[in-house]
Amino acid sequence: TQTGQEVTAVVSCNMADGISSVCRMADCVNAKVIPVNIGIAQDLPGSLIKTEDYKGLVNRRVMSGTKNFLKEPAMTKQQLIKAVKAGIEQVKCCKDDGYNILATGEMGIGNTTTSAALACILLDMNPREVTGRGAGLSDEGLLKKTEVIRKAKEMYGIYKNDPLELLRCIGGLDVAGLTGVYIGGAVYRLPVVVDGVISAVAALIAVRLCH
């Protein structure tokens, strides 16, 4: 089971170096992986180079991870806006560089918890229906995760019809940035392919914001 925050830094830097599995797959179809650091909480273990300075890792860092949403909102309004803008700005850069289609993805330990909590509230679903094992949780871990999502719904369900405030309270930065990517796709007329649950939750938030 991969649970340490340092895993996020390791895999992100592997993407920057072009040696991760997604980079290998992208090479097969002549696609480019553009890893963006929007809020990696820890630096690469054993390295003197900070993730925000790592070559090949686009630095759009808003903060060092989000806060524990069971204790307080994940981020401030200013941090949320900065994260969403980061996604929009990244799309503009891709458009300016000549890309004609984008596909979304993310990498972050623990981020299926935030996305499941968001989906649970936005779609008014039972926590058990939206909660999975993530990177390989045990039965005990799955029960704990489900309870966390139940508490999130209890605490923040009042924001079901206010997707931005809900996103601010629960997080994470990856979802906020991806929400910006979908908005940026509309602004700059660049199609964006949705892939994965977390990316889909961000797309749902973007759609809710536009209706």
Side-chain angles (χ1 to χ4, degrees), residues 75-95:
M75 59 188 113
T76 65
K77 185 176 181 180
Q78 290 74 23
Q79 288 165 336
L80 170 64
I81 292 171
K82 187 176 180 180
V84 173
K85 280 186 174 180
I88 297 172
E89 290 165 0
Q90 187 61 47
V91 174
K92 183 181 186 303
C93 287
C94 289
K95 179 77 171 184

Side-chain angles (χ1 to χ4, degrees), residues 15 38 76 85-86 118 121 137 140 142 152 156 195-197 204:
M15 289 180 183
I38 197 167
T76 65
K85 280 186 174 180
L118 290 167
I121 294 170
L137 286 176
E140 182 182 357
L142 180 61
Y156 303 115
D195 181 36
V197 173
L204 175 62

Side-chain angles (χ1 to χ4, degrees), residues 44 50 58 67 89 111 116 118 139 147 184 188 198 207:
L44 193 65
K50 293 183 177 295
V58 179
K67 297 176 181 177
E89 290 165 0
N111 59 356
L118 290 167
D139 290 344
E147 177 61 13
Y188 296 108
I198 296 168
V207 169

Side-chain angles (χ1 to χ4, degrees), residues 62-63 66-67 72-83 164-165 167-169 173:
V62 174
M63 59 193 292
T66 50
K67 297 176 181 177
E72 58 186 317
M75 59 188 113
T76 65
K77 185 176 181 180
Q78 290 74 23
Q79 288 165 336
L80 170 64
I81 292 171
K82 187 176 180 180
L164 267 187
E165 181 62 14
L167 180 54
R168 183 186 78 82
C169 290
L173 291 167

Side-chain angles (χ1 to χ4, degrees), residues 36-102:
V36 177
N37 175 8
I38 197 167
I40 297 174
Q42 291 190 13
D43 289 320
L44 193 65
S47 174
L48 297 177
I49 304 174
K50 293 183 177 295
T51 53
E52 56 223 76
D53 299 323
Y54 201 89
K55 184 179 179 181
L57 191 56
V58 179
N59 181 31
R60 296 190 182 278
R61 197 166 182 270
V62 174
M63 59 193 292
S64 181
T66 50
K67 297 176 181 177
N68 184 341
F69 64 68
L70 291 183
K71 297 180 179 179
E72 58 186 317
M75 59 188 113
T76 65
K77 185 176 181 180
Q78 290 74 23
Q79 288 165 336
L80 170 64
I81 292 171
K82 187 176 180 180
V84 173
K85 280 186 174 180
I88 297 172
E89 290 165 0
Q90 187 61 47
V91 174
K92 183 181 186 303
C93 287
C94 289
K95 179 77 171 184
D96 292 344
D97 287 342
Y99 291 95
N100 54 26
I101 189 169
L102 302 177

Side-chain angles (χ1 to χ4, degrees), residues 121 151-161 166 170:
I121 294 170
K151 288 180 179 178
K153 186 175 185 180
E154 184 179 89
M155 293 172 65
Y156 303 115
I158 56 173
Y159 301 124
K160 176 183 176 181
N161 296 316
L166 182 64
I170 292 179

